[in-house]
Amino acid sequence: MAKLESKEKYLKWYKDMLLWRKLEDKASALYIQQKIRGFLHLYNGQEAILAGCIEAIDPSKDKMITAYRNHVQPIAMGVEPKFVMAELMGKITGCSKGNGGSMHMFSKKHNFYGGHGIVGGQIPLGAGLAFADKFNGSDAVTLCFMGDGAVRQGSLHETFNLAMLWKLPVVFICENNGYAMGTSVERTANHSDIWKLGLGYEMPCGPVDGMDILAMRDAVKIAVDRARKGEGPTFLEAKTYRYKGHSMSDAQQYRTKDEVKEYQKIDPLNTTLEIIKKNNFASEQEIEKMQNEVKEVIAEAIKFAEESPFPTEKDLYDSVYEQSDYPFIKD
Ligand SMILES: Cc1ncc(C[n+]2csc(CCOP(=O)(O)OP(=O)(O)O)c2C)c(N)n1
Ligand SMILES: [Mg+2]
């Protein structure tokens, strides 16, 4: 049996993951009310990966970059939930000033570099962040997440080649949730052991149980330590599952309800709560208190977002390059 960690750790993991899960559930409800528009990709089911990873890094200097399933990662890196909620609603107070929306969370202050809608686009960008750190003599490490669909992009191969050649301080983590939109991993290549893609570049690589916080933390920690010492990148395949559809309109005809139920049996939130209960780490009242505190944080985030203004027409021209002779731009 795996070693038992401290009571404080399980309580923190449970509360963090509960906040992430409930924030996504609320976002889903707000989308149906049309208070959130556009796309909305939820992280439900994949939380153990983030909970493990965040313990393996130092968020005050290490960096994180991911794809568009990105509402909760900035929170894990220290962004207040209200700034994420405001961004979801397209408000000027959002962490990307309302310019990004669901797919483009960003907070340089918290070392969170997006939020990218181009599948696989964040892979070379992640290596670029690591290159900058190495070039500037920092010992910071970048965690670069991607989906199982993204690993089929050519950019992964070019990036892996240079990351190994230059021994960049980056940990590539494929969150293999089984599907790229409606396409299963098995339908995208002649073998489904994604971690083996590292072998062609002699990059240290391997599979990890993405439903297990401790397995994630330990594997990422080894990779981060190596990267910090100048020994270069690692590629990990975190095996996980997404409980919700790809985005909000997904009839999910590519999988059965029973398949989803199978993975819900190993839901990291439930397994963590079971450990808490079994070891008497918290009483029923203490658990309820945590749940209420999470509800309160989310309610405050929604209130803040709803009361915030939308960007004005003038705000649209901030943070973009302006060509002075452009006819319709007037002061
Ligand atoms: C270059 C590019 N091609 C196609 C798309 C359309 N698209 C959006 S999400 C997606 C699936 C990606 O799946 P995966 O990498 O497994 O991530 P997941 O959604 O499972 O987290 C596709 C094909 C896109 N956004 N960018
Ligand atoms: Mg996927």
PDB file of all heavy atoms in Angstrom, residues 12 15-17 19-21 23-24 50 54 59 64 70-85 88 95 105 107 110 112 297-298 301:
ATOM      1  N   LYS A  12      -5.750  19.656   2.189  1.00  0.00           N
ATOM      2  CA  LYS A  12      -5.474  20.684   1.180  1.00  0.00           C
ATOM      3  C   LYS A  12      -5.859  20.165  -0.212  1.00  0.00           C
ATOM      4  O   LYS A  12      -6.514  20.860  -0.984  1.00  0.00           O
ATOM      5  CB  LYS A  12      -3.993  21.074   1.208  1.00  0.00           C
ATOM      6  CG  LYS A  12      -3.681  22.153   0.174  1.00  0.00           C
ATOM      7  CD  LYS A  12      -2.230  22.556   0.164  1.00  0.00           C
ATOM      8  CE  LYS A  12      -1.887  23.658  -0.816  1.00  0.00           C
ATOM      9  NZ  LYS A  12      -2.565  23.693  -2.076  1.00  0.00           N
ATOM     10  N   LYS A  15      -9.659  20.119  -0.598  1.00  0.00           N
ATOM     11  CA  LYS A  15     -10.266  21.450  -0.718  1.00  0.00           C
ATOM     12  C   LYS A  15      -9.914  22.100  -2.068  1.00  0.00           C
ATOM     13  O   LYS A  15     -10.765  22.695  -2.728  1.00  0.00           O
ATOM     14  CB  LYS A  15      -9.811  22.336   0.449  1.00  0.00           C
ATOM     15  CG  LYS A  15     -10.720  23.514   0.653  1.00  0.00           C
ATOM     16  CD  LYS A  15     -10.419  24.246   1.934  1.00  0.00           C
ATOM     17  CE  LYS A  15     -11.259  25.499   2.024  1.00  0.00           C
ATOM     18  NZ  LYS A  15     -10.898  26.343   3.136  1.00  0.00           N
ATOM     19  N   ASP A  16      -8.649  21.967  -2.463  1.00  0.00           N
ATOM     20  CA  ASP A  16      -8.229  22.528  -3.765  1.00  0.00           C
ATOM     21  C   ASP A  16      -9.031  21.889  -4.900  1.00  0.00           C
ATOM     22  O   ASP A  16      -9.587  22.587  -5.752  1.00  0.00           O
ATOM     23  CB  ASP A  16      -6.737  22.259  -4.014  1.00  0.00           C
ATOM     24  CG  ASP A  16      -5.843  23.200  -3.230  1.00  0.00           C
ATOM     25  OD1 ASP A  16      -6.364  24.149  -2.605  1.00  0.00           O
ATOM     26  OD2 ASP A  16      -4.609  22.976  -3.229  1.00  0.00           O
ATOM     27  N   MET A  17      -9.079  20.575  -4.904  1.00  0.00           N
ATOM     28  CA  MET A  17      -9.745  19.878  -6.016  1.00  0.00           C
ATOM     29  C   MET A  17     -11.247  20.147  -6.012  1.00  0.00           C
ATOM     30  O   MET A  17     -11.870  20.240  -7.064  1.00  0.00           O
ATOM     31  CB  MET A  17      -9.469  18.372  -5.958  1.00  0.00           C
ATOM     32  CG  MET A  17      -8.006  18.031  -6.215  1.00  0.00           C
ATOM     33  SD  MET A  17      -7.730  16.281  -6.576  1.00  0.00           S
ATOM     34  CE  MET A  17      -8.251  15.522  -5.066  1.00  0.00           C
ATOM     35  N   LEU A  19     -12.632  22.940  -4.996  1.00  0.00           N
ATOM     36  CA  LEU A  19     -12.790  24.289  -5.548  1.00  0.00           C
ATOM     37  C   LEU A  19     -12.724  24.240  -7.078  1.00  0.00           C
ATOM     38  O   LEU A  19     -13.572  24.821  -7.761  1.00  0.00           O
ATOM     39  CB  LEU A  19     -11.694  25.212  -4.992  1.00  0.00           C
ATOM     40  CG  LEU A  19     -11.638  26.615  -5.588  1.00  0.00           C
ATOM     41  CD1 LEU A  19     -12.878  27.426  -5.229  1.00  0.00           C
ATOM     42  CD2 LEU A  19     -10.387  27.370  -5.128  1.00  0.00           C
ATOM     43  N   TRP A  20     -11.741  23.516  -7.602  1.00  0.00           N
ATOM     44  CA  TRP A  20     -11.598  23.438  -9.058  1.00  0.00           C
ATOM     45  C   TRP A  20     -12.839  22.794  -9.687  1.00  0.00           C
ATOM     46  O   TRP A  20     -13.386  23.285 -10.680  1.00  0.00           O
ATOM     47  CB  TRP A  20     -10.348  22.636  -9.453  1.00  0.00           C
ATOM     48  CG  TRP A  20      -9.073  23.146  -8.832  1.00  0.00           C
ATOM     49  CD1 TRP A  20      -8.840  24.412  -8.351  1.00  0.00           C
ATOM     50  CD2 TRP A  20      -7.857  22.408  -8.611  1.00  0.00           C
ATOM     51  NE1 TRP A  20      -7.559  24.499  -7.859  1.00  0.00           N
ATOM     52  CE2 TRP A  20      -6.929  23.301  -7.998  1.00  0.00           C
ATOM     53  CE3 TRP A  20      -7.451  21.095  -8.868  1.00  0.00           C
ATOM     54  CZ2 TRP A  20      -5.630  22.913  -7.654  1.00  0.00           C
ATOM     55  CZ3 TRP A  20      -6.162  20.701  -8.517  1.00  0.00           C
ATOM     56  CH2 TRP A  20      -5.269  21.599  -7.921  1.00  0.00           C
ATOM     57  N   ARG A  21     -13.291  21.697  -9.088  1.00  0.00           N
ATOM     58  CA  ARG A  21     -14.443  20.961  -9.636  1.00  0.00           C
ATOM     59  C   ARG A  21     -15.708  21.816  -9.583  1.00  0.00           C
ATOM     60  O   ARG A  21     -16.464  21.897 -10.556  1.00  0.00           O
ATOM     61  CB  ARG A  21     -14.625  19.664  -8.836  1.00  0.00           C
ATOM     62  CG  ARG A  21     -15.836  18.797  -9.179  1.00  0.00           C
ATOM     63  CD  ARG A  21     -15.642  17.979 -10.431  1.00  0.00           C
ATOM     64  NE  ARG A  21     -14.499  17.090 -10.436  1.00  0.00           N
ATOM     65  CZ  ARG A  21     -14.521  15.805 -10.074  1.00  0.00           C
ATOM     66  NH1 ARG A  21     -15.633  15.250  -9.673  1.00  0.00           N
ATOM     67  NH2 ARG A  21     -13.415  15.061 -10.169  1.00  0.00           N
ATOM     68  N   LEU A  23     -15.957  25.069  -9.284  1.00  0.00           N
ATOM     69  CA  LEU A  23     -15.860  26.252 -10.149  1.00  0.00           C
ATOM     70  C   LEU A  23     -16.224  25.877 -11.587  1.00  0.00           C
ATOM     71  O   LEU A  23     -16.950  26.603 -12.274  1.00  0.00           O
ATOM     72  CB  LEU A  23     -14.446  26.828 -10.087  1.00  0.00           C
ATOM     73  CG  LEU A  23     -14.265  28.127 -10.874  1.00  0.00           C
ATOM     74  CD1 LEU A  23     -13.806  29.248  -9.943  1.00  0.00           C
ATOM     75  CD2 LEU A  23     -13.278  27.982 -12.004  1.00  0.00           C
ATOM     76  N   GLU A  24     -15.756  24.721 -12.022  1.00  0.00           N
ATOM     77  CA  GLU A  24     -16.098  24.257 -13.374  1.00  0.00           C
ATOM     78  C   GLU A  24     -17.600  23.991 -13.483  1.00  0.00           C
ATOM     79  O   GLU A  24     -18.233  24.358 -14.478  1.00  0.00           O
ATOM     80  CB  GLU A  24     -15.314  22.979 -13.707  1.00  0.00           C
ATOM     81  CG  GLU A  24     -13.816  23.152 -13.827  1.00  0.00           C
ATOM     82  CD  GLU A  24     -13.353  23.900 -15.075  1.00  0.00           C
ATOM     83  OE1 GLU A  24     -13.829  25.024 -15.305  1.00  0.00           O
ATOM     84  OE2 GLU A  24     -12.497  23.363 -15.800  1.00  0.00           O
ATOM     85  N   LEU A  50      -3.077  17.981 -11.640  1.00  0.00           N
ATOM     86  CA  LEU A  50      -2.691  19.331 -11.211  1.00  0.00           C
ATOM     87  C   LEU A  50      -2.315  19.356  -9.728  1.00  0.00           C
ATOM     88  O   LEU A  50      -1.327  19.992  -9.346  1.00  0.00           O
ATOM     89  CB  LEU A  50      -3.843  20.304 -11.501  1.00  0.00           C
ATOM     90  CG  LEU A  50      -3.586  21.771 -11.217  1.00  0.00           C
ATOM     91  CD1 LEU A  50      -2.409  22.303 -12.033  1.00  0.00           C
ATOM     92  CD2 LEU A  50      -4.836  22.604 -11.518  1.00  0.00           C
ATOM     93  N   ILE A  54       1.466  20.570  -8.742  1.00  0.00           N
ATOM     94  CA  ILE A  54       1.682  21.838  -8.035  1.00  0.00           C
ATOM     95  C   ILE A  54       2.572  21.621  -6.806  1.00  0.00           C
ATOM     96  O   ILE A  54       3.287  22.515  -6.381  1.00  0.00           O
ATOM     97  CB  ILE A  54       0.321  22.523  -7.698  1.00  0.00           C
ATOM     98  CG1 ILE A  54       0.518  24.028  -7.554  1.00  0.00           C
ATOM     99  CG2 ILE A  54      -0.367  21.946  -6.511  1.00  0.00           C
ATOM    100  CD1 ILE A  54       0.720  24.750  -8.828  1.00  0.00           C
ATOM    101  N   PRO A  59       5.903  27.484  -7.279  1.00  0.00           N
ATOM    102  CA  PRO A  59       5.141  28.404  -8.138  1.00  0.00           C
ATOM    103  C   PRO A  59       5.663  29.844  -8.113  1.00  0.00           C
ATOM    104  O   PRO A  59       5.290  30.637  -8.970  1.00  0.00           O
ATOM    105  CB  PRO A  59       3.715  28.340  -7.582  1.00  0.00           C
ATOM    106  CG  PRO A  59       3.669  27.111  -6.749  1.00  0.00           C
ATOM    107  CD  PRO A  59       5.065  26.887  -6.237  1.00  0.00           C
ATOM    108  N   MET A  64       4.198  27.602 -15.786  1.00  0.00           N
ATOM    109  CA  MET A  64       3.229  26.618 -16.265  1.00  0.00           C
ATOM    110  C   MET A  64       2.578  27.133 -17.539  1.00  0.00           C
ATOM    111  O   MET A  64       2.290  28.324 -17.656  1.00  0.00           O
ATOM    112  CB  MET A  64       2.165  26.403 -15.179  1.00  0.00           C
ATOM    113  CG  MET A  64       1.236  25.241 -15.474  1.00  0.00           C
ATOM    114  SD  MET A  64      -0.012  25.051 -14.175  1.00  0.00           S
ATOM    115  CE  MET A  64       0.908  24.202 -12.912  1.00  0.00           C
ATOM    116  N   ASN A  70      -8.164  25.263 -19.199  1.00  0.00           N
ATOM    117  CA  ASN A  70      -7.197  26.020 -18.389  1.00  0.00           C
ATOM    118  C   ASN A  70      -7.801  26.936 -17.334  1.00  0.00           C
ATOM    119  O   ASN A  70      -7.166  27.905 -16.935  1.00  0.00           O
ATOM    120  CB  ASN A  70      -6.334  26.865 -19.344  1.00  0.00           C
ATOM    121  CG  ASN A  70      -7.085  28.056 -19.927  1.00  0.00           C
ATOM    122  OD1 ASN A  70      -6.550  29.156 -20.007  1.00  0.00           O
ATOM    123  ND2 ASN A  70      -8.350  27.898 -20.305  1.00  0.00           N
ATOM    124  N   HIS A  71      -8.997  26.610 -16.844  1.00  0.00           N
ATOM    125  CA  HIS A  71      -9.594  27.534 -15.865  1.00  0.00           C
ATOM    126  C   HIS A  71      -8.993  27.398 -14.470  1.00  0.00           C
ATOM    127  O   HIS A  71      -8.963  28.363 -13.718  1.00  0.00           O
ATOM    128  CB  HIS A  71     -11.112  27.301 -15.751  1.00  0.00           C
ATOM    129  CG  HIS A  71     -11.815  27.292 -17.056  1.00  0.00           C
ATOM    130  ND1 HIS A  71     -12.973  26.578 -17.302  1.00  0.00           N
ATOM    131  CD2 HIS A  71     -11.515  27.923 -18.216  1.00  0.00           C
ATOM    132  CE1 HIS A  71     -13.348  26.769 -18.557  1.00  0.00           C
ATOM    133  NE2 HIS A  71     -12.483  27.573 -19.129  1.00  0.00           N
ATOM    134  N   VAL A  72      -8.562  26.182 -14.133  1.00  0.00           N
ATOM    135  CA  VAL A  72      -8.170  25.958 -12.732  1.00  0.00           C
ATOM    136  C   VAL A  72      -6.656  26.020 -12.504  1.00  0.00           C
ATOM    137  O   VAL A  72      -6.205  26.278 -11.387  1.00  0.00           O
ATOM    138  CB  VAL A  72      -8.761  24.628 -12.189  1.00  0.00           C
ATOM    139  CG1 VAL A  72     -10.274  24.710 -12.202  1.00  0.00           C
ATOM    140  CG2 VAL A  72      -8.279  23.424 -12.967  1.00  0.00           C
ATOM    141  N   GLN A  73      -5.872  25.840 -13.555  1.00  0.00           N
ATOM    142  CA  GLN A  73      -4.405  25.901 -13.387  1.00  0.00           C
ATOM    143  C   GLN A  73      -3.949  27.256 -12.852  1.00  0.00           C
ATOM    144  O   GLN A  73      -3.105  27.297 -11.947  1.00  0.00           O
ATOM    145  CB  GLN A  73      -3.708  25.573 -14.713  1.00  0.00           C
ATOM    146  CG  GLN A  73      -3.871  24.144 -15.189  1.00  0.00           C
ATOM    147  CD  GLN A  73      -5.162  23.929 -15.969  1.00  0.00           C
ATOM    148  OE1 GLN A  73      -6.076  24.734 -15.948  1.00  0.00           O
ATOM    149  NE2 GLN A  73      -5.228  22.817 -16.668  1.00  0.00           N
ATOM    150  N   PRO A  74      -4.483  28.393 -13.381  1.00  0.00           N
ATOM    151  CA  PRO A  74      -4.040  29.675 -12.807  1.00  0.00           C
ATOM    152  C   PRO A  74      -4.383  29.782 -11.320  1.00  0.00           C
ATOM    153  O   PRO A  74      -3.609  30.359 -10.553  1.00  0.00           O
ATOM    154  CB  PRO A  74      -4.777  30.736 -13.633  1.00  0.00           C
ATOM    155  CG  PRO A  74      -5.749  30.009 -14.486  1.00  0.00           C
ATOM    156  CD  PRO A  74      -5.329  28.592 -14.551  1.00  0.00           C
ATOM    157  N   ILE A  75      -5.491  29.206 -10.920  1.00  0.00           N
ATOM    158  CA  ILE A  75      -5.865  29.243  -9.493  1.00  0.00           C
ATOM    159  C   ILE A  75      -4.829  28.462  -8.681  1.00  0.00           C
ATOM    160  O   ILE A  75      -4.361  28.917  -7.637  1.00  0.00           O
ATOM    161  CB  ILE A  75      -7.294  28.693  -9.288  1.00  0.00           C
ATOM    162  CG1 ILE A  75      -8.306  29.594 -10.020  1.00  0.00           C
ATOM    163  CG2 ILE A  75      -7.632  28.571  -7.799  1.00  0.00           C
ATOM    164  CD1 ILE A  75      -9.724  29.079 -10.031  1.00  0.00           C
ATOM    165  N   ALA A  76      -4.445  27.298  -9.196  1.00  0.00           N
ATOM    166  CA  ALA A  76      -3.414  26.508  -8.507  1.00  0.00           C
ATOM    167  C   ALA A  76      -2.104  27.294  -8.404  1.00  0.00           C
ATOM    168  O   ALA A  76      -1.356  27.154  -7.442  1.00  0.00           O
ATOM    169  CB  ALA A  76      -3.185  25.185  -9.244  1.00  0.00           C
ATOM    170  N   MET A  77      -1.846  28.148  -9.371  1.00  0.00           N
ATOM    171  CA  MET A  77      -0.603  28.946  -9.379  1.00  0.00           C
ATOM    172  C   MET A  77      -0.734  30.217  -8.537  1.00  0.00           C
ATOM    173  O   MET A  77       0.216  30.978  -8.422  1.00  0.00           O
ATOM    174  CB  MET A  77      -0.221  29.322 -10.819  1.00  0.00           C
ATOM    175  CG  MET A  77       0.240  28.142 -11.664  1.00  0.00           C
ATOM    176  SD  MET A  77       1.796  27.414 -11.108  1.00  0.00           S
ATOM    177  CE  MET A  77       3.010  28.506 -11.846  1.00  0.00           C
ATOM    178  N   GLY A  78      -1.936  30.479  -8.004  1.00  0.00           N
ATOM    179  CA  GLY A  78      -2.077  31.613  -7.086  1.00  0.00           C
ATOM    180  C   GLY A  78      -3.024  32.720  -7.529  1.00  0.00           C
ATOM    181  O   GLY A  78      -3.216  33.701  -6.805  1.00  0.00           O
ATOM    182  N   VAL A  79      -3.617  32.605  -8.716  1.00  0.00           N
ATOM    183  CA  VAL A  79      -4.562  33.629  -9.173  1.00  0.00           C
ATOM    184  C   VAL A  79      -5.869  33.457  -8.383  1.00  0.00           C
ATOM    185  O   VAL A  79      -6.348  32.334  -8.202  1.00  0.00           O
ATOM    186  CB  VAL A  79      -4.843  33.481 -10.692  1.00  0.00           C
ATOM    187  CG1 VAL A  79      -5.910  34.469 -11.159  1.00  0.00           C
ATOM    188  CG2 VAL A  79      -3.561  33.656 -11.493  1.00  0.00           C
ATOM    189  N   GLU A  80      -6.441  34.571  -7.938  1.00  0.00           N
ATOM    190  CA  GLU A  80      -7.703  34.466  -7.189  1.00  0.00           C
ATOM    191  C   GLU A  80      -8.832  34.015  -8.127  1.00  0.00           C
ATOM    192  O   GLU A  80      -8.933  34.519  -9.253  1.00  0.00           O
ATOM    193  CB  GLU A  80      -8.076  35.828  -6.596  1.00  0.00           C
ATOM    194  CG  GLU A  80      -7.297  36.169  -5.351  1.00  0.00           C
ATOM    195  CD  GLU A  80      -7.805  37.461  -4.742  1.00  0.00           C
ATOM    196  OE1 GLU A  80      -8.998  37.511  -4.384  1.00  0.00           O
ATOM    197  OE2 GLU A  80      -7.024  38.411  -4.666  1.00  0.00           O
ATOM    198  N   PRO A  81      -9.684  33.094  -7.661  1.00  0.00           N
ATOM    199  CA  PRO A  81     -10.757  32.572  -8.515  1.00  0.00           C
ATOM    200  C   PRO A  81     -11.618  33.664  -9.155  1.00  0.00           C
ATOM    201  O   PRO A  81     -12.110  33.502 -10.268  1.00  0.00           O
ATOM    202  CB  PRO A  81     -11.583  31.711  -7.559  1.00  0.00           C
ATOM    203  CG  PRO A  81     -10.625  31.313  -6.499  1.00  0.00           C
ATOM    204  CD  PRO A  81      -9.646  32.431  -6.350  1.00  0.00           C
ATOM    205  N   LYS A  82     -11.778  34.803  -8.465  1.00  0.00           N
ATOM    206  CA  LYS A  82     -12.664  35.847  -9.015  1.00  0.00           C
ATOM    207  C   LYS A  82     -12.112  36.414 -10.326  1.00  0.00           C
ATOM    208  O   LYS A  82     -12.884  36.807 -11.201  1.00  0.00           O
ATOM    209  CB  LYS A  82     -12.900  36.964  -7.997  1.00  0.00           C
ATOM    210  CG  LYS A  82     -11.691  37.777  -7.602  1.00  0.00           C
ATOM    211  CD  LYS A  82     -12.095  38.829  -6.562  1.00  0.00           C
ATOM    212  CE  LYS A  82     -10.931  39.728  -6.227  1.00  0.00           C
ATOM    213  NZ  LYS A  82     -11.265  40.725  -5.223  1.00  0.00           N
ATOM    214  N   PHE A  83     -10.784  36.421 -10.481  1.00  0.00           N
ATOM    215  CA  PHE A  83     -10.213  36.951 -11.720  1.00  0.00           C
ATOM    216  C   PHE A  83     -10.398  35.960 -12.880  1.00  0.00           C
ATOM    217  O   PHE A  83     -10.453  36.359 -14.039  1.00  0.00           O
ATOM    218  CB  PHE A  83      -8.739  37.306 -11.527  1.00  0.00           C
ATOM    219  CG  PHE A  83      -8.537  38.384 -10.485  1.00  0.00           C
ATOM    220  CD1 PHE A  83      -7.687  38.192  -9.407  1.00  0.00           C
ATOM    221  CD2 PHE A  83      -9.217  39.588 -10.577  1.00  0.00           C
ATOM    222  CE1 PHE A  83      -7.516  39.177  -8.444  1.00  0.00           C
ATOM    223  CE2 PHE A  83      -9.068  40.589  -9.612  1.00  0.00           C
ATOM    224  CZ  PHE A  83      -8.211  40.370  -8.542  1.00  0.00           C
ATOM    225  N   VAL A  84     -10.464  34.675 -12.544  1.00  0.00           N
ATOM    226  CA  VAL A  84     -10.737  33.657 -13.565  1.00  0.00           C
ATOM    227  C   VAL A  84     -12.212  33.736 -13.971  1.00  0.00           C
ATOM    228  O   VAL A  84     -12.552  33.727 -15.160  1.00  0.00           O
ATOM    229  CB  VAL A  84     -10.378  32.247 -13.036  1.00  0.00           C
ATOM    230  CG1 VAL A  84     -10.892  31.161 -13.971  1.00  0.00           C
ATOM    231  CG2 VAL A  84      -8.874  32.126 -12.842  1.00  0.00           C
ATOM    232  N   MET A  85     -13.080  33.862 -12.960  1.00  0.00           N
ATOM    233  CA  MET A  85     -14.519  33.936 -13.248  1.00  0.00           C
ATOM    234  C   MET A  85     -14.832  35.178 -14.096  1.00  0.00           C
ATOM    235  O   MET A  85     -15.619  35.114 -15.041  1.00  0.00           O
ATOM    236  CB  MET A  85     -15.296  33.950 -11.924  1.00  0.00           C
ATOM    237  CG  MET A  85     -16.778  33.776 -12.065  1.00  0.00           C
ATOM    238  SD  MET A  85     -17.288  32.320 -13.020  1.00  0.00           S
ATOM    239  CE  MET A  85     -17.210  31.019 -11.803  1.00  0.00           C
ATOM    240  N   LEU A  88     -13.873  34.505 -17.580  1.00  0.00           N
ATOM    241  CA  LEU A  88     -14.858  33.628 -18.231  1.00  0.00           C
ATOM    242  C   LEU A  88     -16.046  34.438 -18.740  1.00  0.00           C
ATOM    243  O   LEU A  88     -16.625  34.126 -19.778  1.00  0.00           O
ATOM    244  CB  LEU A  88     -15.335  32.548 -17.245  1.00  0.00           C
ATOM    245  CG  LEU A  88     -14.358  31.400 -16.991  1.00  0.00           C
ATOM    246  CD1 LEU A  88     -14.818  30.542 -15.821  1.00  0.00           C
ATOM    247  CD2 LEU A  88     -14.209  30.540 -18.244  1.00  0.00           C
ATOM    248  N   CYS A  95      -8.434  37.982 -15.616  1.00  0.00           N
ATOM    249  CA  CYS A  95      -6.965  37.884 -15.597  1.00  0.00           C
ATOM    250  C   CYS A  95      -6.350  38.168 -16.960  1.00  0.00           C
ATOM    251  O   CYS A  95      -5.158  38.448 -17.045  1.00  0.00           O
ATOM    252  CB  CYS A  95      -6.516  36.536 -15.029  1.00  0.00           C
ATOM    253  SG  CYS A  95      -7.143  35.117 -15.897  1.00  0.00           S
ATOM    254  N   MET A 105      -6.697  32.070 -20.371  1.00  0.00           N
ATOM    255  CA  MET A 105      -6.328  32.616 -19.063  1.00  0.00           C
ATOM    256  C   MET A 105      -4.837  32.931 -19.106  1.00  0.00           C
ATOM    257  O   MET A 105      -4.071  32.224 -19.778  1.00  0.00           O
ATOM    258  CB  MET A 105      -6.593  31.583 -17.958  1.00  0.00           C
ATOM    259  CG  MET A 105      -8.038  31.165 -17.847  1.00  0.00           C
ATOM    260  SD  MET A 105      -9.063  32.538 -17.303  1.00  0.00           S
ATOM    261  CE  MET A 105     -10.676  31.970 -17.825  1.00  0.00           C
ATOM    262  N   SER A 107      -1.549  34.837 -16.522  1.00  0.00           N
ATOM    263  CA  SER A 107      -1.092  35.691 -15.427  1.00  0.00           C
ATOM    264  C   SER A 107       0.427  35.570 -15.317  1.00  0.00           C
ATOM    265  O   SER A 107       0.944  34.624 -14.721  1.00  0.00           O
ATOM    266  CB  SER A 107      -1.739  35.296 -14.103  1.00  0.00           C
ATOM    267  OG  SER A 107      -1.175  36.088 -13.076  1.00  0.00           O
ATOM    268  N   HIS A 110       1.805  35.395 -11.882  1.00  0.00           N
ATOM    269  CA  HIS A 110       1.738  34.093 -11.205  1.00  0.00           C
ATOM    270  C   HIS A 110       2.388  32.974 -12.027  1.00  0.00           C
ATOM    271  O   HIS A 110       2.099  31.795 -11.812  1.00  0.00           O
ATOM    272  CB  HIS A 110       0.281  33.753 -10.873  1.00  0.00           C
ATOM    273  CG  HIS A 110      -0.301  34.665  -9.844  1.00  0.00           C
ATOM    274  ND1 HIS A 110      -1.031  35.781 -10.186  1.00  0.00           N
ATOM    275  CD2 HIS A 110      -0.218  34.661  -8.495  1.00  0.00           C
ATOM    276  CE1 HIS A 110      -1.393  36.410  -9.076  1.00  0.00           C
ATOM    277  NE2 HIS A 110      -0.905  35.757  -8.047  1.00  0.00           N
ATOM    278  N   PHE A 112       1.875  31.912 -14.886  1.00  0.00           N
ATOM    279  CA  PHE A 112       0.978  31.092 -15.705  1.00  0.00           C
ATOM    280  C   PHE A 112       0.896  31.705 -17.103  1.00  0.00           C
ATOM    281  O   PHE A 112       0.366  32.798 -17.289  1.00  0.00           O
ATOM    282  CB  PHE A 112      -0.422  30.995 -15.065  1.00  0.00           C
ATOM    283  CG  PHE A 112      -1.315  30.106 -15.878  1.00  0.00           C
ATOM    284  CD1 PHE A 112      -1.129  28.729 -15.874  1.00  0.00           C
ATOM    285  CD2 PHE A 112      -2.299  30.637 -16.696  1.00  0.00           C
ATOM    286  CE1 PHE A 112      -1.910  27.900 -16.658  1.00  0.00           C
ATOM    287  CE2 PHE A 112      -3.087  29.814 -17.481  1.00  0.00           C
ATOM    288  CZ  PHE A 112      -2.891  28.444 -17.459  1.00  0.00           C
ATOM    289  N   VAL A 297     -16.380  30.973  -1.668  1.00  0.00           N
ATOM    290  CA  VAL A 297     -15.362  31.548  -2.575  1.00  0.00           C
ATOM    291  C   VAL A 297     -15.940  31.660  -3.984  1.00  0.00           C
ATOM    292  O   VAL A 297     -15.775  32.682  -4.668  1.00  0.00           O
ATOM    293  CB  VAL A 297     -14.078  30.668  -2.580  1.00  0.00           C
ATOM    294  CG1 VAL A 297     -13.121  31.118  -3.680  1.00  0.00           C
ATOM    295  CG2 VAL A 297     -13.388  30.715  -1.240  1.00  0.00           C
ATOM    296  N   ILE A 298     -16.653  30.635  -4.408  1.00  0.00           N
ATOM    297  CA  ILE A 298     -17.203  30.644  -5.768  1.00  0.00           C
ATOM    298  C   ILE A 298     -18.323  31.681  -5.883  1.00  0.00           C
ATOM    299  O   ILE A 298     -18.392  32.428  -6.869  1.00  0.00           O
ATOM    300  CB  ILE A 298     -17.670  29.227  -6.175  1.00  0.00           C
ATOM    301  CG1 ILE A 298     -16.440  28.306  -6.254  1.00  0.00           C
ATOM    302  CG2 ILE A 298     -18.407  29.252  -7.516  1.00  0.00           C
ATOM    303  CD1 ILE A 298     -16.744  26.854  -6.458  1.00  0.00           C
ATOM    304  N   ALA A 301     -16.764  34.978  -6.194  1.00  0.00           N
ATOM    305  CA  ALA A 301     -16.143  35.132  -7.523  1.00  0.00           C
ATOM    306  C   ALA A 301     -17.214  35.504  -8.560  1.00  0.00           C
ATOM    307  O   ALA A 301     -17.004  36.391  -9.393  1.00  0.00           O
ATOM    308  CB  ALA A 301     -15.431  33.846  -7.923  1.00  0.00           C
TER     309      ALA A 301
END
